[in-house]
Amino acid sequence: MPNTIPTIITFDTIGEVAFYKNRRYKRLSIKVRADDRVRVLIPPGYDIKDAVVFVQEKLSWIQQSLKKLEERRPRPTIFDESTEFRSRTFLLRVEGATRNDVRLFYYNGILKVQYPDHIPVSHPRIQELIRSGIVEALRREAKHFLPKRLEELAKYHGFNYRVVTIKNLKSRWGSCSTVNNINLNLHLMRLPDRLIDYVLIHELCHTVEKNHGPGFWNLLDKCTGGMARQLDAEMKKYRTQLF
């Protein structure tokens, strides 16, 4: 997708739709993405009004496409005593206890979550609090590790960037703005070190190459010892959301 700023229009039945206009587009088309974003590509000869009418004509198809994506999406994990979950520095332990609230304890590489044993661990509120606790632990871990590691890799490979921000991103591992500000996903802490480095180097390469053209992949290959495509394929085994 070219780096163009979309026009966002909200439809009652399908939510936000992003309209992109670019002379390189060959035909008026609709893309339904795995992140639930509906995108409309507008070629020369069409305007926003034409594209809106096109979306309205295709509403039924778009709704069916979104429904199919939802059906294929993995169901959320129920975090309980048998859950195996670890980050770069901690292992999760969930246990019931004689208490009325959910508490988190961190010690010796263990993130222990205690929940009231008179309430089923599968209760939505208990699961919400467990997930919130995990996210907060990942956030602290990421803020401690990622900025320092990004700086190390930038110096080693000769890149410059402005600022780095840690966020709980829903569909991206990272991003680099046009002015070289880098956003990194706190869920990177769930990846092996080699893949964390790959994502960081990926975003650093975007400080020089702003798209995913041949120049970008050549630079990324150079920085990863010819492993760019292999590492990119390995990344597809992981998801940014907690399932």
Side-chain angles (χ1 to χ4, degrees):
M1 182 71 67
N3 292 324
T4 56
I5 299 175
T7 298
I8 305 295
I9 298 176
T10 301
F11 293 76
D12 289 340
T13 56
I14 59 174
E16 289 187 352
V17 175
F19 292 82
Y20 291 85
K21 192 168 187 177
N22 194 291
R23 59 184 176 81
R24 290 191 291 173
Y25 299 148
K26 301 300 183 182
R27 61 188 181 87
L28 184 61
S29 60
I30 299 171
K31 307 291 184 183
V32 180
R33 300 289 297 271
D35 58 3
D36 289 342
R37 288 297 300 273
V38 179
R39 302 186 180 191
V40 181
L41 311 186
I42 308 174
Y46 294 87
D47 58 23
I48 290 291
K49 291 182 179 179
D50 298 322
V52 168
V53 171
F54 185 55
V55 169
Q56 290 170 334
E57 293 173 347
K58 300 293 185 180
L59 279 177
S60 178
W61 175 84
I62 295 171
Q63 288 175 297
Q64 287 297 317
S65 298
L66 289 170
K67 182 180 178 181
K68 288 179 181 178
L69 282 175
E70 177 62 27
E71 290 172 350
R72 291 199 298 265
R73 186 171 290 118
R75 297 298 93 192
T77 295
I78 298 298
F79 290 93
D80 59 21
E81 288 81 352
S82 65
T83 300
E84 295 184 5
F85 179 92
R86 66 169 61 247
S87 75
R88 188 173 181 275
T89 63
F90 69 79
L91 179 67
L92 177 69
R93 286 283 183 265
V94 178
E95 64 178 33
T98 306
R99 58 182 319 116
N100 293 314
D101 59 355
V102 174
R103 290 289 301 275
L104 281 79
F105 308 89
Y106 183 84
Y107 61 94
N108 296 331
I110 301 293
L111 177 66
K112 179 184 287 187
V113 181
Q114 288 188 341
Y115 68 93
D117 57 10
H118 62 277
I119 301 175
V121 69
S122 59
H123 190 283
R125 180 57 177 163
I126 299 297
Q127 289 296 307
E128 179 185 349
L129 291 171
I130 292 175
R131 290 172 190 276
S132 296
I134 293 172
V135 167
E136 184 56 33
L138 290 171
R139 190 188 309 279
R140 294 182 184 183
E141 185 180 13
K143 286 184 175 180
H144 176 76
F145 176 77
L146 292 177
K148 185 189 303 182
R149 185 57 179 160
L150 184 69
E151 183 179 4
E152 291 171 352
L153 290 170
K155 288 181 178 179
Y156 183 82
H157 293 287
F159 292 108
N160 294 298
Y161 60 95
R162 293 185 64 190
V163 297
V164 57
T165 305
I166 308 300
K167 295 184 177 182
N168 185 13
L169 302 173
K170 300 301 182 184
S171 60
R172 286 181 164 191
W173 292 108
S175 64
C176 179
S177 73
T178 56
V179 294
N180 295 340
N181 292 330
I182 292 178
N183 292 320
L184 296 174
N185 195 332
L186 59 87
H187 289 282
L188 284 168
M189 305 316 298
R190 298 191 280 110
L191 303 185
D193 280 359
R194 68 184 180 282
L195 294 184
I196 295 176
D197 281 357
Y198 169 72
V199 173
L200 270 54
I201 294 171
H202 183 116
E203 300 310 331
L204 287 169
C205 286
H206 277 313
T207 64
V208 177
E209 298 284 346
K210 295 301 183 184
N211 55 44
H212 289 104
F216 169 82
W217 286 105
N218 289 337
L219 180 58
L220 189 56
D221 240 2
K222 179 181 177 181
C223 294
T224 58
M227 297 285 287
R229 293 294 185 180
Q230 181 177 328
L231 291 166
D232 186 66
E234 193 173 348
M235 284 294 301
K236 292 178 171 57
K237 299 177 184 177
Y238 298 87
R239 298 179 180 273
T240 55
Q241 297 184 19
L242 279 176
F243 291 111

